[in-house]
Coordinates of all heavy atoms in Angstrom, one line a residue:
M1 N 0.8 -1.2 0.0 CA 0.0 0.0 0.0 C 0.9 1.2 0.0 O 1.9 1.3 0.6 CB -0.9 0.0 1.2 CG -2.0 1.0 1.2 SD -3.2 0.6 2.4 CE -3.3 2.1 3.3
A2 N 0.5 2.3 -0.7 CA 1.2 3.5 -0.8 C 1.3 4.2 0.5 O 0.3 4.2 1.3 CB 0.6 4.4 -1.8
R3 N 2.4 4.9 0.8 CA 2.6 5.6 2.0 C 1.9 7.0 1.8 O 2.0 7.6 0.8 CB 4.1 5.8 2.2 CG 4.4 6.6 3.4 CD 5.9 6.6 3.7 NE 6.7 6.6 2.5 CZ 8.0 6.9 2.5 NH1 8.6 7.3 3.6 NH2 8.7 6.8 1.4
I4 N 1.2 7.4 2.9 CA 0.6 8.7 2.8 C 1.5 9.8 3.4 O 2.1 9.6 4.4 CB -0.7 8.7 3.7 CG1 -1.7 7.7 3.1 CG2 -1.3 10.1 3.7 CD1 -2.9 7.5 3.9
T5 N 1.8 10.8 2.6 CA 2.7 11.9 2.9 C 2.0 13.2 3.2 O 1.1 13.6 2.5 CB 3.7 12.1 1.8 OG1 4.3 10.9 1.4 CG2 4.7 13.1 2.1
K6 N 2.3 13.8 4.3 CA 1.7 15.1 4.7 C 2.3 16.1 3.8 O 3.5 16.2 3.7 CB 2.0 15.4 6.1 CG 1.4 16.6 6.7 CD 1.8 16.8 8.1 CE 2.1 18.3 8.3 NZ 3.4 18.6 8.8
P7 N 1.5 16.9 3.1 CA 2.0 18.0 2.2 C 2.9 19.0 2.9 O 2.6 19.3 4.1 CB 0.8 18.6 1.6 CG -0.3 17.6 1.8 CD 0.0 16.9 3.1
L8 N 3.9 19.5 2.2 CA 4.8 20.5 2.8 C 4.1 21.8 3.0 O 3.1 22.1 2.2 CB 6.0 20.7 1.9 CG 7.0 19.6 1.9 CD1 8.0 19.9 0.8 CD2 7.7 19.5 3.2
T9 N 4.6 22.6 3.9 CA 4.1 24.0 4.0 C 5.3 24.9 3.7 O 6.4 24.5 3.8 CB 3.6 24.3 5.4 OG1 4.6 24.2 6.3 CG2 2.4 23.4 5.8
D10 N 5.0 26.2 3.3 CA 6.0 27.1 3.0 C 6.9 27.4 4.3 O 8.1 27.5 4.1 CB 5.4 28.4 2.5 CG 6.3 29.1 1.5 OD1 7.0 28.4 0.7 OD2 6.2 30.4 1.4
T11 N 6.3 27.3 5.4 CA 7.1 27.5 6.7 C 8.1 26.4 6.9 O 9.2 26.7 7.3 CB 6.1 27.6 7.9 OG1 5.1 28.6 7.6 CG2 6.8 27.9 9.1
E12 N 7.7 25.2 6.7 CA 8.6 24.0 6.8 C 9.8 24.1 5.9 O 10.9 23.8 6.2 CB 7.8 22.7 6.5 CG 6.9 22.3 7.6 CD 6.1 21.0 7.2 OE1 5.6 21.0 6.0 OE2 6.0 20.1 8.0
I13 N 9.5 24.6 4.6 CA 10.5 24.7 3.6 C 11.5 25.8 4.1 O 12.7 25.6 4.0 CB 9.9 25.1 2.3 CG1 9.1 23.9 1.8 CG2 11.0 25.4 1.3 CD1 8.3 24.2 0.6
K14 N 11.0 26.9 4.5 CA 11.9 28.0 5.0 C 12.7 27.7 6.2 O 13.9 28.1 6.3 CB 11.1 29.3 5.2 CG 10.5 29.9 4.0 CD 9.7 31.1 4.3 CE 9.1 31.7 3.0 NZ 8.1 32.7 3.3
K15 N 12.2 26.8 7.1 CA 12.9 26.4 8.3 C 13.9 25.3 8.0 O 14.7 25.0 8.9 CB 11.9 26.0 9.3 CG 11.2 27.1 10.0 CD 10.3 26.6 11.1 CE 9.5 27.8 11.8 NZ 8.7 27.3 12.9
A16 N 13.9 24.7 6.9 CA 14.8 23.5 6.6 C 16.2 24.0 6.5 O 16.5 24.9 5.8 CB 14.4 22.9 5.3
K17 N 17.1 23.5 7.4 CA 18.5 23.9 7.4 C 19.4 22.8 6.9 O 19.0 21.6 6.9 CB 18.9 24.1 8.9 CG 18.1 25.2 9.6 CD 18.3 26.5 9.0 CE 17.5 27.6 9.7 NZ 17.3 28.7 8.9
P18 N 20.5 23.1 6.3 CA 21.5 22.1 5.8 C 22.0 21.2 6.9 O 22.1 21.6 8.1 CB 22.6 22.9 5.2 CG 22.5 24.3 5.7 CD 21.1 24.5 6.2
K19 N 22.3 19.9 6.5 CA 22.9 19.0 7.4 C 24.2 18.4 6.8 O 24.6 18.9 5.8 CB 21.9 17.8 7.6 CG 20.6 18.2 8.3 CD 19.7 17.0 8.5 CE 18.4 17.5 9.2 NZ 17.4 16.4 9.4
D20 N 24.8 17.4 7.5 CA 26.0 16.9 7.0 C 25.9 16.2 5.7 O 26.8 16.2 4.9 CB 26.6 15.9 8.0 CG 27.0 16.5 9.3 OD1 27.2 17.7 9.3 OD2 27.1 15.8 10.3
K21 N 24.7 15.7 5.4 CA 24.4 15.0 4.1 C 23.2 15.6 3.5 O 22.3 16.1 4.2 CB 24.2 13.5 4.3 CG 25.4 12.7 4.8 CD 25.0 11.3 5.0 CE 26.2 10.5 5.5 NZ 25.9 9.1 5.7
P22 N 23.0 15.6 2.2 CA 21.8 16.0 1.6 C 20.6 15.2 2.1 O 20.8 14.0 2.3 CB 22.0 15.8 0.1 CG 23.5 15.7 -0.1 CD 24.0 15.2 1.2
Y23 N 19.5 15.8 2.2 CA 18.3 15.1 2.6 C 17.0 15.6 1.8 O 17.1 16.7 1.2 CB 18.1 15.2 4.1 CG 17.7 16.5 4.7 CD1 16.4 16.9 5.0 CD2 18.7 17.5 4.9 CE1 16.1 18.1 5.5 CE2 18.4 18.7 5.5 CZ 17.1 19.0 5.8 OH 16.8 20.2 6.3
K24 N 15.9 14.9 1.9 CA 14.7 15.2 1.2 C 13.6 15.5 2.1 O 13.4 14.9 3.2 CB 14.3 14.0 0.3 CG 15.4 13.6 -0.7 CD 15.0 12.3 -1.3 CE 16.1 11.8 -2.2 NZ 15.8 10.5 -2.9
L25 N 12.7 16.5 1.7 CA 11.4 16.7 2.3 C 10.4 16.4 1.3 O 10.3 17.0 0.2 CB 11.3 18.2 2.7 CG 12.3 18.7 3.8 CD1 12.0 20.2 4.0 CD2 12.0 18.0 5.1
F26 N 9.6 15.4 1.6 CA 8.6 14.9 0.6 C 7.3 15.7 0.7 O 6.8 16.0 1.8 CB 8.3 13.4 0.9 CG 9.5 12.5 0.6 CD1 10.4 12.2 1.6 CD2 9.7 12.1 -0.7 CE1 11.5 11.4 1.3 CE2 10.8 11.3 -1.0 CZ 11.7 11.0 0.0
D27 N 6.7 15.9 -0.5 CA 5.4 16.6 -0.6 C 4.3 15.6 -1.0 O 3.1 15.9 -0.9 CB 5.5 17.8 -1.6 CG 4.2 18.6 -1.6 OD1 3.9 19.1 -0.5 OD2 3.6 18.8 -2.6
G28 N 4.7 14.5 -1.6 CA 3.7 13.6 -2.1 C 3.6 13.5 -3.6 O 4.0 14.5 -4.3
G29 N 3.2 12.4 -4.2 CA 3.1 12.3 -5.6 C 4.4 12.3 -6.3 O 4.5 12.6 -7.5
G30 N 5.5 11.9 -5.6 CA 6.8 11.9 -6.2 C 7.6 13.2 -6.1 O 8.8 13.2 -6.5
L31 N 7.0 14.2 -5.6 CA 7.6 15.5 -5.5 C 8.3 15.7 -4.2 O 7.8 15.3 -3.2 CB 6.6 16.6 -5.7 CG 7.1 18.1 -5.6 CD1 8.0 18.4 -6.7 CD2 5.9 19.0 -5.5
Y32 N 9.6 16.1 -4.2 CA 10.3 16.4 -3.0 C 11.2 17.6 -3.2 O 11.6 17.9 -4.3 CB 11.0 15.2 -2.5 CG 12.1 14.6 -3.4 CD1 13.4 15.0 -3.3 CD2 11.7 13.6 -4.3 CE1 14.4 14.5 -4.1 CE2 12.7 13.0 -5.1 CZ 14.0 13.5 -5.0 OH 15.0 12.9 -5.9
L33 N 11.6 18.1 -2.0 CA 12.6 19.2 -2.0 C 13.9 18.6 -1.5 O 14.0 18.0 -0.4 CB 12.1 20.3 -1.1 CG 12.9 21.6 -1.0 CD1 12.8 22.3 -2.4 CD2 12.5 22.5 0.1
L34 N 15.0 18.7 -2.3 CA 16.3 18.2 -1.9 C 17.1 19.4 -1.3 O 17.3 20.4 -1.9 CB 17.0 17.7 -3.1 CG 18.4 17.1 -2.9 CD1 18.4 15.9 -2.1 CD2 19.0 16.8 -4.3
I35 N 17.5 19.2 0.0 CA 18.3 20.2 0.6 C 19.7 19.7 0.7 O 20.1 18.7 1.3 CB 17.8 20.5 2.1 CG1 16.4 21.1 2.1 CG2 18.7 21.5 2.8 CD1 15.3 20.2 2.2
N36 N 20.6 20.4 0.0 CA 22.0 20.1 -0.1 C 22.8 20.5 1.1 O 22.3 21.4 1.9 CB 22.7 20.7 -1.4 CG 22.1 20.0 -2.6 OD1 22.1 18.8 -2.7 ND2 21.8 20.8 -3.6
K37 N 24.1 20.0 1.2 CA 24.9 20.4 2.4 C 25.2 21.9 2.4 O 25.4 22.5 3.5 CB 26.3 19.7 2.3 CG 26.2 18.2 2.5 CD 27.5 17.5 2.6 CE 28.3 17.7 1.3 NZ 29.6 16.9 1.3
N38 N 25.2 22.6 1.2 CA 25.5 24.0 1.2 C 24.3 24.9 1.4 O 24.4 26.1 1.4 CB 26.2 24.4 -0.1 CG 25.3 24.1 -1.3 OD1 24.1 23.7 -1.2 ND2 25.8 24.3 -2.5
G39 N 23.1 24.2 1.6 CA 21.9 25.0 1.9 C 21.0 25.2 0.7 O 19.9 25.8 0.9
K40 N 21.5 24.9 -0.5 CA 20.6 25.1 -1.7 C 19.4 24.1 -1.6 O 19.6 22.9 -1.2 CB 21.4 24.8 -2.9 CG 22.2 26.0 -3.4 CD 22.5 25.9 -4.8 CE 22.9 27.3 -5.3 NZ 22.7 27.4 -6.7
K41 N 18.3 24.6 -2.0 CA 17.1 23.8 -2.0 C 16.6 23.6 -3.4 O 16.4 24.6 -4.1 CB 16.0 24.5 -1.1 CG 16.4 24.6 0.3 CD 15.5 25.5 1.1 CE 16.0 25.7 2.5 NZ 15.1 26.5 3.3
R42 N 16.3 22.4 -3.9 CA 16.0 22.1 -5.2 C 14.8 21.2 -5.3 O 14.7 20.2 -4.6 CB 17.2 21.4 -5.8 CG 17.2 21.3 -7.3 CD 18.5 20.7 -7.8 NE 18.1 19.5 -8.5 CZ 18.9 18.5 -8.8 NH1 20.1 18.5 -8.4 NH2 18.4 17.5 -9.5
W43 N 13.8 21.5 -6.2 CA 12.7 20.7 -6.4 C 13.0 19.5 -7.4 O 13.6 19.8 -8.4 CB 11.5 21.5 -7.0 CG 10.9 22.5 -6.1 CD1 11.0 23.8 -6.1 CD2 10.1 22.2 -4.9 NE1 10.3 24.4 -5.1 CE2 9.8 23.4 -4.3 CE3 9.7 21.0 -4.3 CZ2 9.0 23.5 -3.2 CZ3 8.9 21.1 -3.2 CH2 8.6 22.3 -2.6
V44 N 12.6 18.3 -7.0 CA 12.8 17.2 -7.9 C 11.5 16.3 -7.9 O 10.8 16.2 -6.8 CB 14.0 16.3 -7.4 CG1 14.2 15.1 -8.2 CG2 15.2 17.1 -7.3
I45 N 11.2 15.7 -9.0 CA 10.1 14.7 -9.0 C 10.6 13.4 -9.5 O 11.4 13.4 -10.5 CB 8.9 15.3 -9.9 CG1 7.7 14.3 -9.8 CG2 9.4 15.5 -11.3 CD1 6.5 14.9 -10.4
D46 N 10.2 12.3 -8.9 CA 10.5 11.0 -9.3 C 9.3 10.4 -9.9 O 8.2 10.5 -9.4 CB 10.9 10.1 -8.1 CG 12.3 10.4 -7.6 OD1 13.1 11.0 -8.3 OD2 12.6 10.0 -6.5
F47 N 9.5 9.7 -11.1 CA 8.4 9.0 -11.7 C 8.9 7.9 -12.5 O 10.1 7.7 -12.7 CB 7.6 10.0 -12.6 CG 8.4 10.6 -13.8 CD1 8.4 10.0 -15.0 CD2 9.3 11.7 -13.5 CE1 9.2 10.6 -16.0 CE2 10.0 12.2 -14.5 CZ 10.0 11.7 -15.8
S48 N 8.0 7.0 -12.9 CA 8.4 5.9 -13.8 C 7.8 6.0 -15.2 O 6.6 6.5 -15.3 CB 8.0 4.5 -13.2 OG 6.6 4.5 -13.0
F49 N 8.5 5.7 -16.2 CA 8.1 5.8 -17.5 C 8.7 4.6 -18.3 O 9.9 4.4 -18.3 CB 8.5 7.1 -18.2 CG 8.0 7.3 -19.5 CD1 6.6 7.5 -19.7 CD2 8.8 7.3 -20.6 CE1 6.1 7.7 -21.0 CE2 8.3 7.5 -21.9 CZ 6.9 7.7 -22.1
L50 N 7.8 3.8 -19.0 CA 8.3 2.6 -19.7 C 9.1 1.7 -18.7 O 10.1 1.2 -19.1 CB 9.1 3.0 -20.9 CG 8.4 3.8 -22.0 CD1 9.3 4.2 -23.1 CD2 7.2 3.1 -22.5
K51 N 8.5 1.5 -17.5 CA 9.1 0.6 -16.5 C 10.5 1.0 -16.1 O 11.3 0.2 -15.6 CB 9.1 -0.8 -17.0 CG 7.7 -1.3 -17.3 CD 7.7 -2.8 -17.7 CE 6.3 -3.3 -17.9 NZ 6.3 -4.7 -18.3
K52 N 10.9 2.3 -16.2 CA 12.1 2.8 -15.7 C 11.9 4.0 -14.8 O 11.0 4.8 -15.1 CB 13.0 3.3 -16.9 CG 13.5 2.2 -17.7 CD 14.5 2.7 -18.7 CE 15.1 1.5 -19.6 NZ 16.1 2.0 -20.5
R53 N 12.6 4.0 -13.7 CA 12.5 5.2 -12.8 C 13.3 6.3 -13.3 O 14.4 6.2 -13.8 CB 13.1 4.8 -11.4 CG 12.1 3.9 -10.6 CD 12.5 3.8 -9.2 NE 12.4 5.0 -8.5 CZ 12.6 5.2 -7.3 NH1 13.0 4.2 -6.5 NH2 12.5 6.4 -6.7
N54 N 12.7 7.5 -13.2 CA 13.4 8.7 -13.7 C 13.2 9.8 -12.6 O 12.3 9.8 -11.9 CB 12.7 9.2 -15.0 CG 12.8 8.3 -16.1 OD1 13.9 8.1 -16.6 ND2 11.7 7.6 -16.5
S55 N 14.2 10.7 -12.6 CA 14.1 11.9 -11.8 C 14.2 13.1 -12.7 O 15.0 13.1 -13.6 CB 15.2 11.9 -10.8 OG 15.1 10.9 -9.9
L56 N 13.4 14.2 -12.4 CA 13.5 15.4 -13.1 C 13.5 16.6 -12.2 O 12.7 16.7 -11.3 CB 12.2 15.5 -14.0 CG 12.0 16.7 -14.9 CD1 13.1 16.7 -15.9 CD2 10.6 16.7 -15.5
G57 N 14.6 17.4 -12.4 CA 14.7 18.6 -11.6 C 13.8 19.7 -12.1 O 13.6 19.9 -13.3
L58 N 13.1 20.3 -11.2 CA 12.1 21.3 -11.6 C 12.6 22.8 -11.3 O 11.9 23.7 -11.7 CB 10.8 21.1 -10.8 CG 10.1 19.7 -11.0 CD1 8.9 19.6 -10.1 CD2 9.8 19.5 -12.4
G59 N 13.7 22.9 -10.6 CA 14.2 24.2 -10.3 C 14.5 24.4 -8.9 O 14.2 23.6 -8.0
N60 N 15.2 25.5 -8.6 CA 15.6 25.8 -7.2 C 14.5 26.6 -6.5 O 13.7 27.4 -7.1 CB 16.9 26.7 -7.2 CG 18.0 25.9 -7.7 OD1 18.1 24.7 -7.5 ND2 19.0 26.6 -8.4
Y61 N 14.4 26.4 -5.2 CA 13.5 27.1 -4.3 C 14.3 28.3 -3.9 O 15.5 28.2 -3.5 CB 13.1 26.3 -3.1 CG 12.2 27.0 -2.1 CD1 10.9 27.1 -2.4 CD2 12.7 27.7 -1.0 CE1 10.0 27.8 -1.5 CE2 12.0 28.4 -0.2 CZ 10.6 28.4 -0.4 OH 9.8 29.1 0.5
P62 N 13.9 29.5 -3.9 CA 12.5 30.0 -4.1 C 12.2 30.5 -5.5 O 11.1 31.0 -5.7 CB 12.5 31.2 -3.1 CG 13.8 31.8 -3.1 CD 14.7 30.6 -3.3
D63 N 13.1 30.2 -6.5 CA 12.8 30.6 -7.8 C 11.5 29.9 -8.3 O 10.7 30.5 -9.1 CB 14.0 30.2 -8.8 CG 15.2 31.0 -8.4 OD1 15.1 32.1 -7.8 OD2 16.3 30.5 -8.7
V64 N 11.4 28.6 -7.9 CA 10.2 27.9 -8.2 C 9.5 27.7 -6.8 O 10.0 27.0 -6.0 CB 10.5 26.5 -8.8 CG1 9.2 25.7 -9.0 CG2 11.2 26.7 -10.1
S65 N 8.3 28.3 -6.7 CA 7.6 28.2 -5.4 C 7.0 26.8 -5.2 O 6.9 26.0 -6.1 CB 6.5 29.3 -5.4 OG 5.5 29.0 -6.3
L66 N 6.4 26.6 -4.0 CA 5.7 25.4 -3.7 C 4.5 25.2 -4.6 O 4.3 24.1 -5.2 CB 5.3 25.4 -2.2 CG 4.5 24.2 -1.7 CD1 5.2 22.9 -1.9 CD2 4.1 24.4 -0.3
R67 N 3.8 26.2 -4.9 CA 2.6 26.2 -5.7 C 3.0 25.8 -7.2 O 2.4 25.0 -7.8 CB 1.9 27.5 -5.7 CG 0.6 27.5 -6.6 CD -0.1 28.8 -6.4 NE -0.7 28.8 -5.1 CZ -1.5 29.7 -4.6 NH1 -1.9 30.7 -5.4 NH2 -2.0 29.7 -3.4
E68 N 4.1 26.5 -7.7 CA 4.5 26.2 -9.0 C 5.1 24.8 -9.2 O 4.8 24.1 -10.2 CB 5.6 27.2 -9.4 CG 5.2 28.6 -9.6 CD 6.3 29.6 -9.7 OE1 7.4 29.3 -9.1 OE2 6.1 30.6 -10.4
A69 N 5.8 24.3 -8.1 CA 6.3 22.9 -8.2 C 5.1 21.9 -8.2 O 5.2 20.9 -9.0 CB 7.2 22.6 -7.0
R70 N 4.1 22.2 -7.5 CA 2.9 21.3 -7.5 C 2.2 21.3 -8.8 O 1.8 20.3 -9.3 CB 1.9 21.6 -6.4 CG 2.4 21.2 -5.0 CD 1.5 21.7 -3.9 NE 2.0 21.2 -2.6 CZ 1.6 21.7 -1.5 NH1 0.7 22.7 -1.5 NH2 2.1 21.2 -0.3
A71 N 2.1 22.5 -9.4 CA 1.5 22.6 -10.8 C 2.4 21.9 -11.8 O 1.8 21.2 -12.7 CB 1.4 24.1 -11.1
L72 N 3.7 22.0 -11.7 CA 4.6 21.2 -12.6 C 4.4 19.7 -12.5 O 4.4 19.0 -13.4 CB 6.0 21.6 -12.4 CG 6.4 23.0 -12.9 CD1 7.8 23.4 -12.4 CD2 6.4 23.1 -14.4
R73 N 4.3 19.3 -11.2 CA 4.0 17.8 -10.9 C 2.8 17.3 -11.6 O 2.8 16.3 -12.3 CB 3.9 17.6 -9.4 CG 3.6 16.2 -9.1 CD 3.3 16.0 -7.6 NE 2.2 16.8 -7.1 CZ 1.9 17.1 -5.9 NH1 2.7 16.6 -4.9 NH2 0.9 17.8 -5.5
E74 N 1.7 18.1 -11.5 CA 0.4 17.7 -12.1 C 0.6 17.7 -13.7 O 0.0 16.8 -14.3 CB -0.7 18.6 -11.7 CG -1.0 18.5 -10.2 CD -1.3 17.0 -9.8 OE1 -2.0 16.3 -10.4 OE2 -0.7 16.6 -8.7
D75 N 1.3 18.7 -14.2 CA 1.5 18.8 -15.7 C 2.3 17.6 -16.2 O 1.9 17.0 -17.2 CB 2.2 20.1 -16.0 CG 2.3 20.3 -17.5 OD1 1.2 20.1 -18.2 OD2 3.3 20.8 -18.0
I76 N 3.3 17.2 -15.4 CA 4.1 16.0 -15.8 C 3.3 14.7 -15.7 O 3.4 13.9 -16.6 CB 5.4 15.9 -14.9 CG1 6.3 17.0 -15.2 CG2 6.0 14.5 -15.0 CD1 7.4 17.2 -14.2
K77 N 2.4 14.6 -14.7 CA 1.6 13.4 -14.6 C 0.6 13.3 -15.8 O 0.4 12.3 -16.3 CB 0.8 13.5 -13.3 CG 1.6 13.1 -12.1 CD 0.7 13.0 -10.9 CE 1.5 12.5 -9.7 NZ 0.6 12.3 -8.5
K78 N 0.0 14.5 -16.2 CA -0.9 14.5 -17.3 C -0.2 14.1 -18.6 O -0.7 13.3 -19.4 CB -1.5 15.9 -17.5 CG -2.6 16.2 -16.5 CD -3.1 17.6 -16.8 CE -4.0 18.0 -15.6 NZ -4.5 19.4 -15.8
K79 N 1.0 14.6 -18.8 CA 1.8 14.3 -20.0 C 2.2 12.8 -20.0 O 2.2 12.2 -21.1 CB 3.0 15.2 -20.1 CG 2.7 16.6 -20.5 CD 3.9 17.4 -20.6 CE 3.6 18.9 -21.0 NZ 4.7 19.7 -21.0
K80 N 2.5 12.3 -18.9 CA 2.9 10.9 -18.8 C 1.7 9.9 -19.1 O 1.9 8.9 -19.8 CB 3.4 10.6 -17.3 CG 4.0 9.2 -17.2 CD 4.4 9.0 -15.8 CE 3.4 8.2 -15.1 NZ 3.7 7.6 -13.8
R81 N 0.5 10.3 -18.8 CA -0.7 9.5 -19.1 C -0.9 9.4 -20.6 O -1.5 8.4 -21.0 CB -1.9 10.0 -18.4 CG -1.9 9.7 -16.9 CD -3.2 10.1 -16.3 NE -2.9 10.7 -15.0 CZ -3.3 11.9 -14.6 NH1 -4.1 12.6 -15.3 NH2 -3.0 12.4 -13.4
K82 N -0.5 10.5 -21.3 CA -0.8 10.5 -22.7 C 0.3 9.7 -23.4 O 0.4 8.9 -24.2 CB -0.7 11.9 -23.3 CG -1.9 12.7 -22.9 CD -1.8 14.1 -23.4 CE -3.0 14.9 -23.0 NZ -3.0 16.2 -23.6

C-alpha cells in the first residue's frame, strides 16, 4: 500500500536547514525538496516511464515556489498518461 505523505508548507521549507548529508522533504506524488549540504534547495520529481525510474529537476527554491512545483508535478503526470 502507498505511503501517505503530509504535504509540505512554506514555513517548513523556509525552516529547513542544511545537514552533514543532503536530505529530502517529501510533498507527495513523487515531488520532494532536496536540501544540499551547502543549503541550496531544489525541487525534484521521481516518476516511472516505460518501466524505468526517472528523476526530473524542476528548479531551485525560491525561484520555483511550492505552488509552481505542485503545478509542474500535475502537468508532468498528465503528459505521462498520454
Side-chain angles (χ1 to χ4, degrees):
M1 191 162 127
R3 181 174 28 166
I4 297 174
T5 305
K6 185 180 133 236
L8 288 173
T9 64
D10 215 30
T11 306
E12 288 174 316
I13 294 168
K14 288 177 183 174
K15 286 184 178 181
K17 302 292 180 203
K19 296 182 180 179
D20 293 339
K21 295 181 180 180
Y23 67 100
K24 302 172 185 178
L25 294 177
F26 293 92
D27 188 58
L31 179 66
Y32 60 90
L33 187 68
L34 179 65
I35 293 94
N36 289 314
K37 293 189 296 185
N38 62 5
K40 277 201 164 204
K41 299 172 184 178
R42 193 177 124 199
W43 291 110
V44 180
I45 185 167
D46 285 343
F47 62 95
S48 60
F49 185 70
L50 299 175
K51 298 183 181 182
K52 290 188 179 182
R53 283 189 70 173
N54 297 289
S55 294
L56 180 64
L58 303 178
N60 294 327
Y61 178 85
D63 298 335
V64 177
S65 69
L66 176 59
R67 180 176 291 188
E68 291 170 328
R70 287 176 176 162
L72 288 168
R73 173 186 62 195
E74 295 307 315
D75 189 42
I76 290 167
K77 283 185 173 186
K78 286 179 187 175
K79 288 179 181 178
K80 190 182 96 167
R81 281 186 226 129
K82 290 181 181 182

